Amino acid sequence: MKSFTSYLLIVLSFVIVSCNGQSSKNIKNVDAMAFSKLIQTTTNPQILDVRTPEEFAADHIDNAKNINWLGSDFTAKTTSLDKSKPVYVYCKIGGRSQQAVEKLSELGFTEIVQLEGGFLKWEAAGLSKPASKKIGISQKEYADLLNSDKKVLVDFYAEWCAPCKKMTPYLLKMEKEMADQVVIIRLDADKNKSLLSEMKISELPTLLLYENKQIKWQHSGYISEADLKKQL
C-alpha cells in the first residue's frame, strides 16, 4: 500500500509539473526594449493593446489593435487574430495583460509575448512618440506643490489600479487626521501623463515623500497604512 501511494504521488507530481509547463511555455515576458525589437523585426506584427478604448485613444504603440480585456466581447474579438503567429500583448502596468495572455493561451495561441510593466515601462524607456501637447501639470507646477514647511507625500495613482483603490480610503483618512504633520497630494497618472514621463515613473502606485523639497523616501506598489505611517 505504501509503495502504491508513493507511486501515485510521483505520477501526480509529474502531471502537475507537465501541466504548469504546458500552460506557460508559449508565453514569454520581455522588457520594453526587447518588446520593441521583437515587433520591429516581425513582419506585420500582431500587437494587442488590452486597455480601454479611452486609454488607447490617448496613446498607444504604433499599429496596435485595441481589444478591451474588461469588455464582454474580448474572446469574440480575438478571432480576428491569427493563432499560429506571435501576438504581442500589453496594457498599462501589466495586470490586465497577464490575465489576457493566460486567456489567449487557453484559446490556442501558439506564441504570446507580454510587455513587462506595460505601457508605463514603454514610456519610461523613451519608446513612445512625443506628445503633441502637455497633459496635466508642468514640472514647475509640481515643484510649487512641494512648497511647505511640513513633509509632503505625493501619491501617483490611477482609478483603474487595484492597489491604488485599496490604498485610497486610508490615504484620504490620513490626509485629514495628519494634516498638521504632512501634506498629502494625490495625482491621477492618466491626467498627468507628461509629468510621469518626465519623472520616469513607470509603476503605480508610486509614493514620494519630500522634506524641504528633497526626496526622503519613495515606494512603488501597495503598502499598508501601518507601514506607510512608519515612514511619516
Side-chain angles (χ1 to χ4, degrees):
M1 173 64 80
K2 185 177 180 181
S3 60
F4 179 69
T5 302
S6 298
Y7 172 75
L8 283 178
L9 288 173
I10 292 171
V11 171
L12 182 58
S13 298
F14 177 77
V15 170
I16 291 173
V17 172
S18 298
C19 288
N20 286 341
Q22 183 69 25
S23 63
S24 62
K25 70 179 183 180
N26 61 337
I27 299 173
K28 181 189 298 183
N29 299 312
V30 301
D31 63 25
M33 297 306 294
F35 194 85
S36 175
K37 186 175 181 179
L38 283 170
I39 60 178
Q40 287 177 24
T41 55
T42 301
T43 303
N44 298 321
Q46 299 185 113
I47 308 169
L48 181 58
D49 184 321
V50 299
R51 299 176 300 164
T52 64
E54 293 75 20
E55 290 174 281
F56 182 81
D59 198 5
H60 57 267
I61 295 175
D62 287 344
N63 302 314
K65 178 182 180 66
N66 182 216
I67 302 180
N68 183 10
W69 168 250
L70 300 177
S72 59
D73 55 356
F74 178 81
T75 299
K77 286 189 174 181
T78 60
T79 57
S80 63
L81 301 172
D82 188 339
K83 293 181 180 180
S84 67
K85 295 181 179 179
V87 58
Y88 302 92
V89 187
Y90 72 93
C91 65
K92 186 72 170 182
I93 57 176
R96 287 169 288 179
S97 63
Q98 181 59 42
Q99 297 175 71
V101 298
E102 290 170 2
K103 184 62 177 179
L104 292 171
S105 181
E106 290 176 13
L107 293 172
F109 283 81
T110 57
E111 187 177 349
I112 307 163
V113 181
Q114 180 180 201
L115 171 57
E116 288 181 337
F119 197 67
L120 273 185
K121 289 290 187 182
W122 179 270
E123 291 180 307
L127 294 167
S128 59
K129 51 183 179 290
S132 57
K133 62 178 182 178
K134 289 280 185 181
I135 300 176
I137 65 173
S138 66
Q139 286 270 25
K140 183 182 182 306
E141 290 170 317
Y142 179 75
D144 290 341
L145 294 176
L146 306 179
N147 287 326
S148 175
D149 55 357
K150 305 172 189 174
K151 292 180 179 178
V152 179
L153 178 69
V154 181
D155 168 34
F156 287 96
Y157 74 99
E159 297 293 344
W160 44 263
C161 166
C164 300
K165 289 179 181 179
K166 192 174 180 181
M167 292 164 59
T168 294
Y170 78 67
L171 281 169
L172 294 177
K173 183 180 69 171
M174 287 171 60
E175 188 175 359
K176 295 178 180 178
E177 294 178 350
M178 301 182 69
D180 59 331
Q181 303 172 48
V182 60
V183 176
I184 297 179
I185 299 168
R186 305 187 70 233
L187 295 175
D188 189 323
D190 290 329
K191 295 177 181 177
N192 293 281
K193 289 172 61 66
S194 299
L195 183 63
L196 257 73
S197 178
E198 291 165 2
M199 294 180 66
K200 304 297 182 185
I201 293 175
S202 59
E203 296 180 53
L204 295 177
T206 285
L207 298 172
L208 300 173
L209 180 63
Y210 292 85
E211 192 169 357
N212 297 320
K213 287 194 170 187
Q214 299 298 313
I215 295 179
K216 295 300 181 182
W217 173 82
Q218 65 183 74
H219 177 84
S220 293
Y222 177 79
I223 186 172
S224 68
E225 180 178 0
D227 286 341
L228 177 56
K229 283 183 174 179
K230 290 177 184 177
Q231 301 299 328
L232 301 177

